Amino acid sequence: MPRITLLTDFGTADGYVGVLKGVLAIHAPLVRVDDISHDIPPGDVEKASLALGRYWRRFPPGTVHLAVVDPGVGTDRRALAVRADERFLVSPDNGILTEVLDQAEEWEAVRLSPSDLLPAPESRTFHGRDLFAPASALLATGNPLEVLGPQVLDPWRLSNSGVRAVGDWVVGEVVDVDRFGNLATNLPRSLVEAVGEVEMAGHWIPLRGSYGEGDPGELLVVINSDGRVEIAEREGSAATLLGVGRGAGVRTKVPAEHPEKEEAGPV
Amino acid sequence: MPRITLLTDFGTADGYVGVLKGVLAIHAPLVRVDDISHDIPPGDVEKASLALGRYWRRFPPGTVHLAVVDPGVGTDRRALAVRADERFLVSPDNGILTEVLDQAEEWEAVRLSPSDLLPAPESRTFHGRDLFAPASALLATGNPLEVLGPQVLDPWRLSNSGVRAVGDWVVGEVVDVDRFGNLATNLPRSLVEAVGEVEMAGHWIPLRGSYGEGDPGELLVVINSDGRVEIAEREGSAATLLGVGRGAGVRTKVPAEHPEKEEAGPV
Amino acid sequence: MPRITLLTDFGTADGYVGVLKGVLAIHAPLVRVDDISHDIPPGDVEKASLALGRYWRRFPPGTVHLAVVDPGVGTDRRALAVRADERFLVSPDNGILTEVLDQAEEWEAVRLSPSDLLPAPESRTFHGRDLFAPASALLATGNPLEVLGPQVLDPWRLSNSGVRAVGDWVVGEVVDVDRFGNLATNLPRSLVEAVGEVEMAGHWIPLRGSYGEGDPGELLVVINSDGRVEIAEREGSAATLLGVGRGAGVRTKVPAEHPEKEEAGPV
């Protein structure tokens, strides 16, 4: 029996998550439901995309990932169901699937459309309840993607920030700040492994093997569990220490003989 | 097999939720347990009542809703089990069931009382563990309500704030602020749909079809997913923008010919 | 079928909890997974130990408690699996099991070591994913503790703060502050029950039967659900009112004839 995972920005204290779970309990009573998070910052589609990108393919084939961060609810933004590398995703079409689509080897998408199976939404303000949860239940109970609506070829994607070559430098940015204040960047891993350090906010920060190396309070660079170049503070928050957040610049100096010097460009 | 849902103000970091789940795992090992929230503000019975009111009837018949926000634990406040519209509720008798009782078509209640089935509480400070979880397990495993204690006819209810007619105005208030800063009010839906706008803190705010209409930063009124008249800010928090919270006044001007003008009064 | 419980400091918004749950869904698809908390303050091993100490033995025999607060990930700190009083615990060896080991009547521990069953970690930064979750799945699906690695006789323990006798006083400290601002102390229960009051920050605070006794805003002492001497404020936060936290001093005056006067010392 498959399972459904939940990612939202609903918080829990208002009871909206209870509504979602109640709808799933009615429509898919035997399916397991796993909370991932309801603490995505309100409306932060980019954060949700990064979180979803971490776990979606760690679940078994057949898993349905419901992801609702939906500031445009009730407008004409589309609602999607996607099959990607044997998992399903159900979400608004607002970029929340960017990481998934970037990682997937193959995917197909449909636009959720009212039908005998999927009644038209009861409200224009809570499509999680009225549309995404019922669609997720249909997929988890074995209905094929195609019954949910017509094919979509162009799901919305957030624009990726690229790295740039500037003289002897490769310049990137912070793409995510996690709960520990670790700063994930888009700098190329191979380059940083070759160079052994990066520069941020006036600090030259050395590459280490793990968060526990160096002295407490010391800044360090690691290759994180996603394979990204990440800046961390030993036993502290690099985000707080450096006073930076998502989008902050970071760079590394390319040695004269390094091939990245010629190749670096928007990714 | 039925399920048990959990709503508390325990937070999670102290491990009290773990204690609840352990007791349920012992007493009802095959019953599914669904977290709704452990983030109700400490002691905020009114918030818990509103949250519970949103989801309790969305779950299948037979579901047991455990709801513990219990500032009076250890005093002589009663402990209740209720059957309402085929669902069960287990909670302190402090008003947390107000919305449920207001919505239910039929209900009956008993006072949880020590018996062979339900041992007297081990402590005077954690009835969630000692009383409410065991009682929930008994209901979820098929015991009838009546075995838990004697009938109660007068569960405690929070007093509802009513709307008032003041001259040409109907005056109500904010009854809930959700995570997005949306302000749910007690203004009559039919009136606001007829008039098309409400007044709050000097702003005339127009009725729209959904949160996504209007320009970013603009205030708007929607009929929310509970059917309430709600004030929201497009891509922002109306609560922050207006600097208001629960209890803040809101009003609308009744057109001369509108029937609400005569009928408005405490609800 | 046993179950796995999760206690971490990951928060939920980064998706790391999703990664853990995905790994468990692959390796132990039929095992129930219960969230306890992902809101332990980052790196706060002591808080995690106290939380775990509250619930670990409330679950049925065979339960696997995964507990990952791991500031030393990637260093040479050991990774442990423990069987204690018929439950299992899987965690870094950093003191997070202190309360469990103090409470257990019997326990044995092994060091998680790479093997055919348990592959070497994929990363040096996310052993929750690469090591602790797979080990938990192995235990929950019936593998014996011994296959996970060689025996460990000296798991790391946090040093317990003791109480001291100082003249006519027994002096202790706050060992935990919970979400309600209640201050759990290490003062001996029997002594406080005999004396009937404690002194903190210049206040003499009387022993009561429950949080609901006394007037709102009044400080009181209760024997809490863990059996500890706890300072609380009626309908408020004692931590806020007194401006104190973990480690703050508290004392009680021993009556001349009380046996604790001679016996008090480090516990």
Side-chain angles (χ1 to χ4, degrees):
Chain A
M1 179 60 77
R3 63 184 77 209
I4 297 172
T5 78
L6 304 183
L7 181 76
T8 77
D9 63 349
F10 296 174
T12 62
D14 297 311
Y16 301 133
V17 170
V19 176
L20 274 192
K21 290 185 176 181
V23 171
L24 294 174
I26 295 275
H27 287 83
L30 300 179
V31 170
R32 274 178 61 156
V33 176
D34 286 347
D35 287 305
I36 307 300
S37 182
H38 304 290
D39 286 336
I40 298 294
D44 192 341
V45 172
E46 190 172 355
K47 181 76 187 173
S49 171
L50 288 160
L52 187 53
R54 289 202 176 95
Y55 66 80
W56 73 285
R57 225 162 24 179
R58 295 275 171 182
F59 278 82
T63 301
V64 180
H65 298 296
L66 175 60
V68 184
V69 174
D70 194 13
V73 63
T75 65
D76 58 2
R77 67 100 186 86
R78 299 178 297 191
L80 297 181
V82 171
R83 178 172 50 224
D85 295 356
E86 301 182 75
R87 283 81 179 169
F88 296 98
L89 301 112
V90 178
S91 72
D93 183 26
N94 60 10
I96 196 171
L97 300 183
T98 302
E99 282 287 323
V100 169
L101 298 173
D102 286 354
Q103 295 171 21
E105 291 172 24
E106 51 176 359
W107 57 266
E108 46 192 325
V110 302
R111 174 178 188 155
L112 298 180
S113 305
S115 70
D116 290 351
L117 279 170
L118 194 63
E122 182 183 328
S123 79
R124 288 184 64 191
T125 55
F126 194 2
H127 284 183
R129 175 187 76 188
D130 297 337
L131 190 61
F132 298 118
S136 299
L138 286 169
L139 291 169
T141 53
N143 291 275
L145 188 72
E146 291 68 25
V147 304
L148 296 178
Q151 194 171 27
V152 167
L153 296 173
D154 57 346
W156 185 264
R157 298 196 197 200
L158 304 171
S159 54
N160 281 317
S161 43
V163 292
R164 292 168 294 123
V166 179
D168 287 347
W169 300 87
V170 170
V171 179
E173 66 180 53
V174 172
V175 293
D176 191 27
V177 182
D178 74 11
R179 189 188 195 216
F180 302 94
N182 299 323
L183 307 166
T185 75
N186 60 356
L187 288 178
R189 172 180 180 161
S190 60
L191 174 60
V192 173
E193 287 179 329
V195 176
E197 59 181 3
V198 308
E199 194 267 348
M200 183 172 218
H203 299 259
W204 278 99
I205 309 170
L207 178 65
R208 303 287 193 193
S210 78
Y211 301 124
E213 293 181 22
D215 294 321
E218 198 172 293
L219 289 166
L220 51 94
V221 173
V222 294
I223 305 304
N224 74 12
S225 58
D226 297 328
R228 288 191 194 271
V229 173
E230 183 176 285
I231 296 167
E233 180 192 341
R234 170 92 198 268
E235 294 175 26
S237 162
T240 303
L241 182 68
L242 294 169
V244 301
R246 213 190 291 164
V250 58
R251 60 183 190 168
T252 190
K253 198 158 194 174
V254 190
E257 74 282 11
H258 194 276
E260 287 277 346
K261 196 170 173 180
E262 282 74 44
E263 292 169 18
V267 294
Chain B
M1 180 59 78
R3 65 184 75 208
I4 296 172
T5 77
L6 304 183
L7 181 76
T8 78
D9 64 348
F10 296 174
T12 62
D14 297 311
Y16 301 132
V17 171
V19 175
L20 274 193
K21 290 185 176 181
V23 171
L24 295 174
I26 296 274
H27 287 83
L30 299 178
V31 171
R32 274 178 60 157
V33 176
D34 286 347
D35 288 305
I36 306 300
S37 182
H38 304 291
D39 285 335
I40 298 295
D44 192 342
V45 171
E46 189 173 355
K47 182 75 187 172
S49 171
L50 288 160
L52 187 54
R54 289 203 175 93
Y55 66 81
W56 73 284
R57 227 164 20 180
R58 294 276 171 183
F59 278 82
T63 300
V64 179
H65 297 296
L66 175 60
V68 185
V69 174
D70 194 12
V73 63
T75 65
D76 58 3
R77 68 100 187 85
R78 300 178 295 190
L80 298 180
V82 171
R83 179 173 49 224
D85 295 356
E86 301 182 75
R87 283 81 179 169
F88 296 99
L89 301 112
V90 178
S91 73
D93 183 27
N94 60 9
I96 195 171
L97 300 183
T98 302
E99 282 288 324
V100 169
L101 298 172
D102 285 354
Q103 295 171 21
E105 292 172 25
E106 50 175 1
W107 58 264
E108 46 193 326
V110 302
R111 176 178 187 155
L112 298 180
S113 305
S115 70
D116 290 352
L117 279 170
L118 195 63
E122 181 184 328
S123 79
R124 289 183 63 191
T125 55
F126 195 1
H127 284 183
R129 175 187 76 188
D130 298 336
L131 191 60
F132 299 117
S136 298
L138 286 169
L139 290 169
T141 54
N143 292 276
L145 187 72
E146 291 68 27
V147 304
L148 295 178
Q151 194 172 28
V152 166
L153 296 173
D154 59 346
W156 185 263
R157 298 194 197 201
L158 304 171
S159 54
N160 280 318
S161 41
V163 293
R164 292 168 294 125
V166 179
D168 287 348
W169 299 87
V170 171
V171 180
E173 65 179 57
V174 172
V175 293
D176 191 28
V177 182
D178 75 10
R179 188 188 197 216
F180 302 95
N182 299 323
L183 307 166
T185 75
N186 60 354
L187 288 178
R189 173 181 179 162
S190 61
L191 173 61
V192 174
E193 287 179 328
V195 177
E197 60 182 2
V198 308
E199 193 268 347
M200 183 172 218
H203 298 259
W204 279 99
I205 309 171
L207 179 65
R208 304 286 193 194
S210 78
Y211 301 125
E213 293 182 22
D215 294 321
E218 200 172 291
L219 289 166
L220 51 94
V221 173
V222 294
I223 305 303
N224 74 12
S225 58
D226 298 327
R228 287 190 194 273
V229 172
E230 183 175 287
I231 296 167
E233 180 191 341
R234 170 91 198 269
E235 295 176 24
S237 161
T240 303
L241 182 68
L242 293 169
V244 301
R246 214 191 290 165
V250 59
R251 61 184 188 166
T252 191
K253 198 158 193 172
V254 189
E257 72 283 10
H258 194 276
E260 286 279 346
K261 196 171 175 182
E262 282 74 46
E263 291 169 21
V267 293
Chain C
M1 180 60 79
R3 63 184 76 210
I4 296 172
T5 78
L6 304 183
L7 181 76
T8 78
D9 64 348
F10 296 173
T12 62
D14 297 311
Y16 300 133
V17 171
V19 175
L20 274 193
K21 290 185 176 180
V23 172
L24 294 175
I26 296 275
H27 287 84
L30 300 179
V31 171
R32 273 178 61 158
V33 176
D34 285 348
D35 288 305
I36 307 300
S37 183
H38 304 291
D39 285 335
I40 299 294
D44 193 341
V45 171
E46 190 173 355
K47 182 76 187 170
S49 170
L50 288 160
L52 187 54
R54 290 203 175 94
Y55 65 80
W56 73 284
R57 225 163 21 179
R58 295 275 172 183
F59 278 83
T63 300
V64 180
H65 298 296
L66 175 60
V68 185
V69 174
D70 194 13
V73 62
T75 65
D76 58 3
R77 69 97 187 88
R78 298 178 295 190
L80 298 181
V82 171
R83 179 174 48 224
D85 295 356
E86 302 183 74
R87 284 79 179 169
F88 296 99
L89 300 112
V90 177
S91 72
D93 182 25
N94 60 9
I96 195 171
L97 301 183
T98 301
E99 283 288 325
V100 169
L101 298 172
D102 286 354
Q103 295 172 20
E105 291 173 24
E106 51 174 1
W107 57 266
E108 46 191 327
V110 302
R111 175 178 189 155
L112 298 180
S113 305
S115 71
D116 290 351
L117 278 169
L118 194 63
E122 182 183 329
S123 79
R124 288 183 63 191
T125 54
F126 194 2
H127 283 183
R129 175 187 77 189
D130 298 336
L131 190 60
F132 299 116
S136 298
L138 286 168
L139 291 169
T141 53
N143 292 275
L145 188 72
E146 292 68 27
V147 305
L148 296 178
Q151 193 171 27
V152 167
L153 296 172
D154 58 345
W156 185 264
R157 297 195 197 201
L158 304 172
S159 54
N160 281 317
S161 43
V163 292
R164 291 169 294 124
V166 179
D168 287 346
W169 300 87
V170 171
V171 180
E173 65 179 55
V174 173
V175 293
D176 191 28
V177 181
D178 75 10
R179 188 188 195 216
F180 302 95
N182 299 324
L183 307 167
T185 76
N186 59 356
L187 288 178
R189 172 181 180 162
S190 60
L191 174 60
V192 174
E193 286 178 330
V195 176
E197 58 182 2
V198 308
E199 194 267 348
M200 184 173 218
H203 299 259
W204 279 101
I205 309 171
L207 179 66
R208 303 287 193 193
S210 78
Y211 301 125
E213 292 182 23
D215 294 322
E218 200 172 291
L219 288 166
L220 51 95
V221 173
V222 295
I223 306 304
N224 74 12
S225 57
D226 298 327
R228 288 190 194 272
V229 173
E230 183 176 286
I231 297 166
E233 180 192 341
R234 171 91 198 270
E235 295 176 24
S237 161
T240 304
L241 182 68
L242 293 169
V244 301
R246 214 192 287 164
V250 59
R251 60 184 190 167
T252 191
K253 198 158 193 173
V254 189
E257 72 284 10
H258 194 277
E260 287 279 345
K261 196 169 173 181
E262 282 73 46
E263 291 170 20
V267 293

